[in-house]
Amino acid sequence: MKKLRCLTYEFISLPLLCLLLLSGCSVVPRVNALLPGNRAFIAHWPAKSDRGQIKLAVKDNIDMEGVVTTAGSEYFAKTRAPAKKDAACLAIARERGVYIVGKANMTEFAASPSGLNDYFGTPRNPFNFMRALIPGGSSCGSAVAVASGMADIAFGTDTAGSIRVPAACCGIVGLKTTHGLVPIDGVVPVEPDHLDTVGPMGRDIATTAQGMDLLQRGFEAKFAAAQAAKPSGANIRVGRLYLKGTDQRVDAAIDKALAKAGFQVIPLDDDFREQWEQAKKDGNVVAAAGVWLSDKDFRTAPGVTARTKLAIFAGDISHPAAYRQALARRAAWQRSLGSVFMKVDFIALPTLQDAVITMPKFWNGGLFEARMLALQNTVPVNLAGNPALALPVPLRYVSFGRRPAMAMPMPLLYEGVPVTSLQLIGPPLSEAELLNAGRLVENAVRPWVSIKIPMVGVTIQ
């Protein structure tokens, strides 16, 4: 059996293989899901007044004193006692009296990337204009809460992309922090030794920076210093990574956003792309094994969904042999990234390879989650431990004539979705610099659609 596992892993990532093999185990959702409305929150405490106070949403795998931490699971909701104390990452928010509006919905145990929750119900993607779209996971409720205006800032967790993927799906900003920068004591673990992080999500760069200031003392000053040091994109070098399988409209949108920001864009070579692809396989193996290590005791528990049990089973196959092999390559991958950052300030690529990911029609658990793992360009960053920023950029631009007259968003450009997501990756502890680069991109692409004086006609760029 061990020999078979090793041979299989030479050809395909074992977690993906297991998901594909077991994809016939469809997961039937509960139509009468427990949560009302857009299902962003598992527990919701709306602010009684809006007096300019920050509204913070907290993902429900982060402990809050006196509240049951469900981790998106029926089993935890029914068997866990309320947390005895806050998670360490809430300390600054508590000191400043920030109002917490609720515990945000999430995929069970943060074990799948789609954002689907079969017990509490799946949060509603704000771009559900033409079809039902996934919210992305596992911090799905955090993203929907911010996108819908129910929260200004959300705290999410990111093990393999769980902040950046829902940020991309819902058109908001998400920051994956350097591994070890923000304490994870009191956070339900997936793979804490190498991958797990806590980070902020916001509707724009400014609110995301506010969120980071609630997670790291002194961040406001760091962000101000980064803005002063690089007030424009002219002196910022960005390595552009192109990956096979990316929708060409997504790549074009990323390139246009980088050009509008005025960055010095330097294409990265095929050798680095191959290293990235290996790191993606290794990162998925480590994340899957982490699910097994953290959740194996729940693999037969009543109330744990088939989708999650499938993820736990995939991790069992990855651990221990493939897990050890993947971790053995981690240092080389970190050195490769370090070499790139000697030549560029940031690496840029799409957060997701497609801008439109629809809900599965038959809720085929394994095959759909495997597809999500293939579409997301996030886990190599977790494997290295570096920070990364996901921010929305427009898929298309529409202009009339030559001079600006007015600006407005255009919601129905590409199958109902106006934006895709740019991912910027930085060296360790470069969160302030990443947010400054994101600020430059955000300023350059806003307004998403420019309507100009109709002297010459209509141009769609």
Side-chain angles (χ1 to χ4, degrees), residues 69-81:
T69 304
T70 74
S73 174
E74 175 186 11
Y75 178 69
F76 274 18
K78 293 180 177 179
T79 62
R80 273 203 156 191

Side-chain angles (χ1 to χ4, degrees), residues 98-172:
V98 174
Y99 186 77
I100 297 175
V101 293
K103 299 297 293 293
N105 199 356
M106 56 180 287
T107 56
E108 188 175 35
F109 301 159
S112 65
S114 63
L116 306 184
N117 187 299
D118 306 315
Y119 175 67
F120 288 109
T122 299
R124 187 179 187 275
N125 189 310
F127 294 137
N128 281 4
F129 299 122
M130 299 174 65
R131 64 186 73 188
L133 306 175
I134 65 163
S138 61
S139 305
C140 48
S142 298
V144 170
V146 169
S148 63
M150 299 173 78
D152 302 310
I153 299 164
F155 288 169
T157 61
D158 195 312
T159 297
S162 290
I163 285 174
R164 290 160 289 158
V165 169
C169 290
C170 296
I172 65 167

Side-chain angles (χ1 to χ4, degrees), residues 1 5 96 118 129 179 232 240 246 275 290 295 302 326 372 428 433-434 438:
M1 188 61 153
R5 289 178 182 177
R96 297 181 186 175
D118 306 315
F129 299 122
H179 186 262
S232 73
R240 177 67 165 94
T246 304
Q275 294 174 55
D295 301 328
M372 281 300 304
E433 291 77 13
L434 276 170

Side-chain angles (χ1 to χ4, degrees), residues 154-239:
F155 288 169
T157 61
D158 195 312
T159 297
S162 290
I163 285 174
R164 290 160 289 158
V165 169
C169 290
C170 296
I172 65 167
V173 178
L175 178 63
K176 182 262 177 207
T177 55
T178 302
H179 186 262
L181 176 63
V182 179
I184 57 173
D185 304 303
V187 177
V188 178
V190 179
E191 214 289 355
D193 292 341
H194 306 97
L195 305 182
D196 291 357
T197 60
V198 173
M201 306 169 78
R203 63 180 178 273
D204 53 23
I205 292 294
T207 52
T208 306
Q210 280 185 293
M212 191 62 206
D213 194 52
L214 295 175
L215 291 170
Q216 182 186 16
R217 297 185 190 280
F219 184 79
E220 183 178 11
K222 292 177 183 291
F223 185 44
Q227 293 177 73
K230 296 288 179 70
S232 73
N235 295 320
I236 296 177
R237 301 163 300 166
V238 174

Side-chain angles (χ1 to χ4, degrees), residues 151-361:
D152 302 310
I153 299 164
F155 288 169
T157 61
D158 195 312
T159 297
S162 290
I163 285 174
R164 290 160 289 158
V165 169
C169 290
C170 296
I172 65 167
V173 178
L175 178 63
K176 182 262 177 207
T177 55
T178 302
H179 186 262
L181 176 63
V182 179
I184 57 173
D185 304 303
V187 177
V188 178
V190 179
E191 214 289 355
D193 292 341
H194 306 97
L195 305 182
D196 291 357
T197 60
V198 173
M201 306 169 78
R203 63 180 178 273
D204 53 23
I205 292 294
T207 52
T208 306
Q210 280 185 293
M212 191 62 206
D213 194 52
L214 295 175
L215 291 170
Q216 182 186 16
R217 297 185 190 280
F219 184 79
E220 183 178 11
K222 292 177 183 291
F223 185 44
Q227 293 177 73
K230 296 288 179 70
S232 73
N235 295 320
I236 296 177
R237 301 163 300 166
V238 174
R240 177 67 165 94
L241 178 59
Y242 293 92
L243 297 175
K244 295 177 181 179
T246 304
D247 188 299
Q248 62 181 3
R249 290 166 289 195
V250 172
D251 265 337
I254 298 301
D255 289 337
K256 180 153 287 191
L258 296 175
K260 283 181 172 289
F263 296 141
Q264 301 175 40
V265 179
I266 303 167
L268 300 178
D269 59 25
D270 288 343
D271 182 57
F272 181 74
R273 177 181 55 77
E274 291 173 2
Q275 294 174 55
W276 174 278
E277 290 172 350
Q278 181 61 54
K280 183 172 182 176
K281 293 178 182 177
D282 289 342
N284 282 332
V285 165
V286 174
V291 173
W292 164 254
L293 291 169
S294 294
D295 301 328
K296 60 181 181 291
D297 291 343
F298 312 123
R299 64 190 183 277
T300 60
V304 175
T305 65
R307 183 187 305 278
T308 302
K309 290 177 179 178
L310 181 58
I312 295 171
F313 175 78
D316 181 21
I317 292 182
S318 292
H319 186 269
Y323 179 66
R324 287 198 299 261
Q325 292 167 13
L327 287 178
R329 289 186 285 267
R330 182 172 180 254
W333 170 234
Q334 291 170 324
R335 288 193 296 270
S336 295
L337 277 178
S339 297
V340 171
F341 286 126
M342 293 179 69
K343 303 171 186 176
V344 301
D345 299 299
F346 307 109
I347 295 169
L349 72 162
T351 308
L352 295 170
Q353 294 184 11
D354 201 344
V356 179
I357 305 174
T358 57
M359 287 278 197
K361 292 182 179 179

